Amino acid sequence: MATFDYTPHGVCARKITFDIVDGKLHDVGFVGGCNGNLKAIGVLLEGKDPMEAVRLLKGNDCSGRGTSCADQLAIAVEKALAENP
């Protein structure tokens, strides 16, 4: 697979990018949002199974928004996997 770009909804981040190479997540990045926390998410997910990331992050809420940057990443990963089996 290649690099994926996703425009998140309902959060401070304006863009999410990541690669899926040989079935593993790489180079997770966010534009906007809580810089330190989002960099940490990228580091923690480097080389991880995409579906494990979805399992861990999906449904996380930020301040009652019903979503979060982590949740939006999970949605983006699910979309990428569904569109590129």
Side-chain angles (χ1 to χ4, degrees), residues 30-70:
F30 294 81
V31 175
C34 302
N35 189 34
N37 291 332
L38 297 176
K39 282 182 183 176
I41 288 173
V43 169
L44 291 169
L45 294 179
E46 183 65 27
K48 301 292 185 205
D49 177 83
M51 286 310 297
E52 177 68 6
V54 169
R55 186 186 70 75
L56 291 169
L57 301 176
K58 192 165 186 179
N60 283 282
D61 182 69
C62 179
S63 300
R65 294 179 181 180
T67 192
S68 66
C69 292

Side-chain angles (χ1 to χ4, degrees), residues 6-36:
Y6 180 77
T7 302
H9 304 281
V11 296
C12 298
R14 297 180 308 279
K15 183 177 178 182
I16 300 171
T17 61
F18 58 93
D19 297 330
I20 300 176
V21 179
D22 297 327
K24 304 293 179 188
L25 278 173
H26 296 283
D27 300 320
V28 173
F30 294 81
V31 175
C34 302
N35 189 34

Side-chain angles (χ1 to χ4, degrees), residues 30 75-76 83:
F30 294 81
I75 292 167
E83 292 176 358

